Amino acid sequence: MDLLRSLTDKLDFDRLLAQFVYHPKSPLIFNTGFFLLLFLVFLAGYQLLRHQHRARLLYVTAFSLFFYYKSSGLYFLLLVFSTVVEYNFARWIADSSSPARRKLLLTLSLIVNLGMLFYFKYTNFFLSGYQALTGQPVPMLHVLLPVGISFYTFQTLSYTIDVYRGQIKPLRNIWDFAFFVSFFPQLVAGPIVRASDFIPQISKRVFISREDMGRAVLLIAAGLFKKAVISDYISLNYVERIFDNPGLYSGIENLLGVYGYALQIYCDFSGYSDIAIGIALLLSYRLPPNFLSPYQSTSITEFWRRWHISLSSWLRDYLYIPLGGNRKGVVRQYINLFLTMLLGGLWHGASLTFVAWGALHGLALAVDKLYQQVFRPRATWLNKLLGWFITFHFVCFCWIFFRAGTFEVATQVIYQITHALRPDLLLQVVGSFRPVFALVALGYVLHFVPDGLTLHLEGVLARRSVVTQAVVLTAVIWLVIQVKSAEIQPFIYFQF
Amino acid sequence: MNLLRSQNPFLLVLLTVGLLGLLSLLKPGLTVGGVELRPVRLLADVLRKDRPAVASLVLPPPNGPASPSPKAGGTKAAPAAPDSAEVPTVAEAKPAAPAVANLGGLDSFLAALRQTKADGHKTRIAYFGDSMIEGDLLTGDLRNRLQTEFGGSGVGFVPISSVTAAFRETIHETFSPNWQEYNLVSPKLPATYPLGISGHVFLPRVVPAAADSTSAAVGGSWVQFQAGQRFPGTRRFAEAHLFYGPGTSRDQVLVTTDGHTVPHALTGIDALTELVLKPGRPARQLRLDFTTHGPRPVYGVSFESPTGITLDNFSFRGNSGMSLTRIPFRQLAAFGKVLDYRLIILHYGVNVADARNKNYVFYERAMTRVVDRMQRAFPQASILIIGMSDKSYRLDGEFVTDPSVPLLLAAQQRLARRNHAAFWNLFQAMGGENTMTSWVEASPPLANKDYTHVNSRGAQKIANLLYAYLMGEYAHPGGTPAAAPVTPPPPAAPAGPDSIPTP
């Protein structure tokens, strides 16, 4: 009782209330203490409603909308708008027997979806492009980018297109559809869930097997470790500084920065995906895997089967194949590959550096395809090793453009690596940033852990009691807290 | 237990939160293997905030009111008060008035500025600093504003090679890899080749005596400069001054300006010789090819004009300022004879302040030696100590002002007061507590993610603030906090001191 009283004494109600209001600087992300508490309260309700199908769906949808409101403010209305519009388009398409009318409805749906994405994400990009070309000043648009818009527009698009193609039947209840569109675990950062994967799960009863629970705990623990321990630490204490001012650092520091960034973006992105998949699993929903140890790839084609799988397969099914895929001759196939990757690059952000990143990958995919067709290399270990080495370094090279923001910065990084490498500083640099490079090394080692071991660990966790599982989660969260409040590495400049 | 029963994730999360709750009861300050364990504060976002760390510490006062130096109008300096009395409490530390008054000590510089304004007579400024001014950050903008107001051109002194040559925008420098360099952090310094004013000394490669010394292709060392386009005053070289020490009599340097080559003998046996090179008309490129037959210290090249302002950037990354005493006094004095400095700025601190250290008396003592040597080597120069900028450290996952910042600032201010130097409190001028955090988070950002170093935008903002301070002193020396600069900002640099001009 005393504990409760001292707690209410200390509680700052203004700050508590502020947690429930949209604040652009503090979106609701999984690796925060507030989310953990909120999720606990949410799960209590979820557990109570687990047998009431309709009420449970409404409950989750309401929570999802709140979740989105916390990250994007009033833009949650966009989500509502998108839901209402796409629900009806899909129904009208399914109900119409006239091919022309169906096509018209699909086109309208594409215009609405892509128009929304274009308006918020690319207006300024094209306006500034126009300005640069004509030299005439153009007023820029002052809008914030709604969080996750690239993810959920692609998700709803897949629904309407699949209905148009007759691959799925449209939902006949708008609340079911709202549940699919807004489902909070993957809402803002993926994986991009296909309607065909998710919709059949909506009507299922809640059942979480021991295996599911073990897998969820492992996914969340590993995801937190990747995102909030490895990625956040190396980014703040090393990588960001290099990309802020590449010219201030020797080539070796820049090179380590690039390797570091390759790990950082993988850990950040795949870690967050893993947490999302784990959280969905705790609610008894299965989301598709998004990353499969991509840096193990021995060719660029393989890389794209392992990196951001939900996006690359989306691009394949809804962009590459409609463009003609490989059905219109070899030349068209290469062009289609290239175009798909170019647009895929632009999807990541409205900047020419992303376009360059996509173009490089598109080109590499075409070259790889050609190479495989002409030379048909045998899968010897030497070929594999060579393929791995080239693939990894090519991917790293492309990350420079992805991260740099401007071509000027990218050029500086490349210039320093090629003109002022100074490999003699390696030990000095690594020695001065020991925790950073220990984490980088650990990250890469963990990346090469075979899948069998992961499955084994899932099994071990599944057989343990919920207490043990909670201890594992607690240990990782405690580690996250340690890293999150650790002192920043003092800045060290080398005399080179 | 029924294997087919659904698992309860609520229980999992409840247990996790409970365990974290238990961990939060651990006493703060526990250490494991020397590493302090951070407390678990699950409710940190919704509980009342404790007082921020810095607010509970004492802050030094802002710049002023003036305590005139003995030089200033014959008034005597107030006797130094005991340390504790010098450091007022927080309430006193934040007056409404802007923090830009002089502590005394800029008189010589201000007199020189007035003369420059009247007849163009050259005023030379040395700006010593650490990585905060690397690549001419801050000093480039400050120089530009001063040269726009008082005339003059050129980037000032440039050492033969620099780790940040690729980063610097005001001059582009390339150099042969065969220079031998000693500097402030070299483990051993040869007594025969003393460090120069920049903290470096460079030895060109010795070429065989038989080599044809009129050709550049004998394998000697070279350095090449290309004017940077960033500021109008530094787009051409009006005059270049080469600084070198003693060596063999047959040494020479081939000077190429914009494709036109002239040989010059390296004469002189003094500790420091200045060779003035004047191209027929202002050049954009200068290349120096050295043919030396024995060891010959070379220090650098200064790009300047006969009139107006020359401002030298002496940056040295990682420097606390204390190691400047590694420059032999005799050599510093030799530079003092050749270079008539009227202002010496010492801008250090980010490499000294450390949250774990609560006492900076050692720093004050060591820097007193530095200031004393500067005062003796450059008797005409005013000394300006710049108090360190804000620097963050992480407290419970939040970035706040490092508690050592006010402590070091107090030490820097005492250093200035006791040596009759001027003091400018950059920490206060840039916005005081937690400004660094807001600069890092600003859009576009003004500082880097190490929460210590400003970027070029932040450096420009600081340069504008410093310029406003100097102009305030110029208008009302030693007076109460000055208002606006006496002259309106020049059209070439339209930015007010508080605004960031768009590039």
Side-chain angles (χ1 to χ4, degrees), chain A residues 7 9-12 15-16 19 25 36-37 39-40 43-44 47 207-210 213 217 236 240-241 244-245 247-248 282 416 466-467 469-471 473-474 477-478 481-488 491 493-496, chain B residues 1 3-17 19-20 23 36-40 42-49 131 134 163-164 166-167 185 316-317 356 392 394 396-397 399 441 448-451 453:
Chain A
L7 189 69
D9 280 351
K10 278 190 190 164
L11 209 59
D12 186 331
R15 295 189 71 202
L16 180 64
Q19 291 293 322
K25 274 191 177 169
L36 181 68
L37 297 176
F39 189 55
L40 177 69
L43 273 180
Q47 194 68 14
F207 180 81
I208 299 142
S209 70
R210 292 197 78 105
M213 191 83 155
V217 170
L236 180 69
E240 296 242 9
R241 301 178 195 177
D244 273 347
N245 292 304
L248 283 180
L282 289 182
Q416 290 301 93
V466 68
V467 178
Q469 292 168 343
V471 168
L473 270 190
T474 307
I477 294 172
W478 182 81
I481 293 168
Q482 299 305 310
V483 168
K484 213 175 169 181
S485 48
E487 277 170 44
I488 35 177
F491 193 83
Y493 279 127
F494 294 93
Q495 297 289 336
F496 62 87
Chain B
M1 194 185 284
L3 279 181
L4 288 176
R5 228 183 70 193
S6 177
Q7 301 294 303
N8 186 345
F10 172 69
L11 197 59
L12 171 77
V13 178
L14 185 68
L15 283 168
T16 306
V17 171
L19 286 170
L20 286 168
L23 281 174
E36 192 183 327
L37 296 185
R38 305 283 160 167
V40 173
L42 217 46
L43 297 171
D45 290 338
V46 292
L47 293 185
R48 277 176 226 287
K49 265 194 177 176
S131 45
E134 266 191 345
V163 290
T164 52
F167 178 73
V185 294
F316 202 97
R317 56 172 55 175
R356 281 162 293 194
S392 312
R394 199 137 69 153
D396 289 347
F399 286 99
E441 288 167 2
N448 296 340
K449 279 282 170 65
D450 63 349
Y451 290 80
H453 289 82

Side-chain angles (χ1 to χ4, degrees), chain B residues 337-358:
Chain B
K337 287 207 181 82
V338 177
L339 303 172
D340 177 24
Y341 285 112
R342 301 305 292 263
L343 175 64
I344 288 176
I345 301 176
L346 297 170
H347 182 171
Y348 294 102
V350 293
N351 295 299
V352 185
D354 182 333
R356 281 162 293 194
N357 194 347
K358 308 266 184 282

